[in-house]
Amino acid sequence: MAIRKKTNKNPPVLSHEFIIQNHADIVSCLAMVFLLGLMFEISAKAAVLFVTLQYNVTIPITELGESINLYHYGIKDVATVFFYMLVAIIMHAIIQEYVLDKINRRMHFSKTKHSKFNESGQLSAFYLFSCAWGASIIASENYASDPTALWKDYPHVHIPFQMKFFYISQLAYWFHGFPELYFQKTKKEDIPRQLVYIGLYLFHIAGAYLLNLNRLGLVLLVLHYFVEFLFHTSRLFYFSNEKYQKGFTLWAILFVLGRLLTLILSVLTVGFGLARADNQILDLSLGNFNVLAIRISVLASICITQAFMMWKFINFQLRRWREHTSPQAQSMKKKPVTGKSKPSRKEKENGVNGAVTSNGADSPRSKKEKSS
């Protein structure tokens, strides 16, 4: 009598890590196609558009034949942004698999904290790298020692290699956030906030790049990234030890100072520096956008974004203050701890006794969707 083997009709459920790794492998293969295309003469011309920066211009600086290589932007930059978007997806998967997943297995976070820890871990690495890179460009170009360089000799059509590569990388990283919404299996209710969060970054970075306000955009990005790096680093420490609150206090102070410095530099550059320049004519061929309508639009965009960020920040701080001063919170502080009673799962995720809540300071969406 033949024995029938039992077959499992239900297909195996793929883990989240396997799905992410599978997509990362596909993206890696696609990126390798462009790199291998450089090795063959037939495909080299097409592959160069994706891998290397375009629109190189050689400008003589002395009569002895000395020259420098500068760059400007164009439609071919779309291909370069696409390739480095693939690189950003690969780097995202590497950090997730070899760093964040290992920490998550040791800490045994809840689902809510697991998601937020991954988000802060990814953003902390990106902000640290971008802030250090941008600061090195500012130092090499002497923008900090001479603030008038932010508007002097506008339009800044020709930019150095590091400046253009920085903007291409920034656009690529934030564009990679769209496919990551699918790779990370983001909840449907969180997708609209994430789209606003990513869209604000792309709007301001692309605006500075296309309007040739790249110097001002670089300085504001470094300032903003430094504050954001402090926030997400503090949140990582908070997840490891919920008693850690000092980082959030420092972040709150620097957040307000960052908004003020952003407004001061923007008004000084656009409202005074460019407004007093002689070239007050719109000329697309020369890349000159120094006209009143565009200046007002730029300042309005920056001011509205900063005001919205401050409004969200103040509402959050008031909500925390009410929670700390509520009669229930005061009674919980005075009540002695007896026995081995443990807080509920919801209390652990949201925080109790004045701890930072997962819907507040440890959530980037309450603050980042108003990013500049």
Side-chain angles (χ1 to χ4, degrees):
M1 182 177 179
I3 300 175
R4 295 183 179 179
K5 296 182 180 180
K6 294 182 178 181
T7 58
N8 187 10
K9 296 182 180 180
N10 297 325
V13 179
L14 300 179
S15 64
H16 187 211
E17 290 79 6
F18 178 82
I19 294 174
I20 295 175
Q21 184 61 39
N22 188 32
H23 286 296
D25 292 339
I26 296 174
V27 173
S28 300
C29 293
L30 182 58
M32 286 300 298
V33 170
F34 294 110
L35 293 176
L36 291 175
L38 297 173
M39 302 174 61
F40 304 97
E41 185 177 356
I42 299 177
S43 58
K45 293 183 179 180
V48 164
L49 295 177
F50 291 87
V51 179
T52 62
L53 300 184
Q54 303 300 309
Y55 304 105
N56 182 18
V57 178
T58 302
I59 300 178
I61 56 176
T62 63
E63 297 179 354
L64 300 177
E66 296 181 0
S67 60
I68 57 174
N69 293 325
L70 298 176
Y71 293 81
H72 60 92
Y73 67 81
I75 190 62
K76 294 180 182 179
D77 289 340
V78 176
T80 312
V81 170
F82 175 76
F83 173 77
Y84 286 99
M85 182 188 72
L86 301 179
V87 176
I89 294 175
I90 297 171
M91 295 302 299
H92 187 112
I94 291 174
I95 295 174
Q96 184 67 46
E97 180 179 1
Y98 293 101
V99 180
L100 299 179
D101 285 344
K102 292 183 178 180
I103 298 176
N104 282 321
R105 294 190 190 99
R106 294 181 180 179
M107 301 300 294
H108 303 289
F109 290 132
S110 63
K111 290 184 179 180
T112 301
K113 287 188 176 182
H114 182 275
S115 176
K116 294 182 182 297
F117 182 87
N118 289 338
E119 188 172 24
S120 287
Q122 294 285 349
L123 290 174
S124 295
F126 169 72
Y127 288 140
L128 176 61
F129 175 76
S130 298
C131 190
W133 187 7
S136 67
I137 298 175
I138 293 175
S140 62
E141 299 295 329
N142 297 321
Y143 296 154
S145 59
D146 183 16
T148 60
L150 297 179
W151 63 83
K152 186 170 60 178
D153 300 328
Y154 180 87
H156 308 134
V157 178
H158 299 110
I159 57 180
F161 172 83
Q162 289 292 338
M163 176 83 80
K164 175 159 185 173
F165 196 21
F166 178 83
Y167 272 94
I168 292 294
S169 301
Q170 294 299 309
L171 292 172
Y173 180 86
W174 292 111
F175 269 117
H176 110 284
F178 293 118
E180 285 296 340
L181 294 177
Y182 171 74
F183 296 158
Q184 299 293 330
K185 301 298 180 182
T186 305
K187 296 179 181 179
K188 291 184 179 180
E189 58 269 21
D190 292 336
I191 290 179
R193 288 181 292 178
Q194 288 283 6
L195 292 177
V196 173
Y197 165 67
I198 298 171
L200 283 173
Y201 271 109
L202 290 174
F203 174 77
H204 288 89
I205 295 173
Y209 185 60
L210 297 177
L211 295 177
N212 293 316
L213 294 172
N214 37 70
R215 298 180 182 179
L216 175 63
L218 174 66
V219 174
L220 296 184
L221 271 179
V222 171
L223 176 63
H224 177 75
Y225 282 171
F226 177 74
V227 178
E228 295 303 295
F229 168 72
L230 178 61
F231 168 76
H232 287 283
T233 304
S234 300
R235 195 164 75 158
L236 291 176
F237 282 107
Y238 169 76
F239 285 146
S240 62
N241 184 3
E242 294 187 356
K243 294 181 180 180
Y244 180 84
Q245 299 285 334
K246 296 180 180 180
F248 291 113
T249 303
L250 179 60
W251 161 75
I253 297 173
L254 293 180
F255 180 86
V256 176
L257 293 177
R259 307 286 69 79
L260 292 176
L261 286 176
T262 298
L263 290 175
I264 291 173
L265 290 174
S266 300
V267 173
L268 184 65
T269 301
V270 181
F272 291 94
L274 295 181
R276 296 180 179 181
D278 297 331
N279 51 347
Q280 302 283 333
I281 300 175
L282 179 63
D283 192 338
L284 299 180
S285 61
L286 296 177
N288 184 18
F289 300 93
N290 187 16
V291 293
L292 180 62
I294 294 180
R295 291 199 304 270
I296 292 176
S297 300
V298 170
L299 282 178
S301 174
I302 295 175
C303 292
I304 291 173
T305 304
Q306 302 305 309
F308 179 70
M309 293 175 70
M310 281 301 303
W311 177 71
K312 297 286 287 184
F313 175 80
I314 292 173
N315 283 341
F316 164 72
Q317 295 296 337
L318 290 175
R319 186 170 63 251
R320 283 192 64 195
W321 179 75
R322 294 191 192 100
E323 291 175 355
H324 294 176
T325 57
S326 63
Q328 183 179 1
Q330 295 294 335
S331 62
M332 291 179 65
K333 290 180 180 180
K334 294 179 180 180
K335 185 178 180 180
V337 179
T338 59
K340 297 182 179 180
S341 60
K342 296 181 179 180
S344 65
R345 181 180 178 182
K346 185 176 181 181
E347 288 175 336
K348 288 182 178 180
E349 292 179 358
N350 293 334
V352 294
N353 296 337
V356 182
T357 64
S358 61
N359 294 324
D362 61 340
S363 175
R365 299 186 189 94
S366 65
K367 175 179 67 64
K368 294 296 296 178
E369 62 185 29
K370 42 355 182 184
S371 305
S372 59

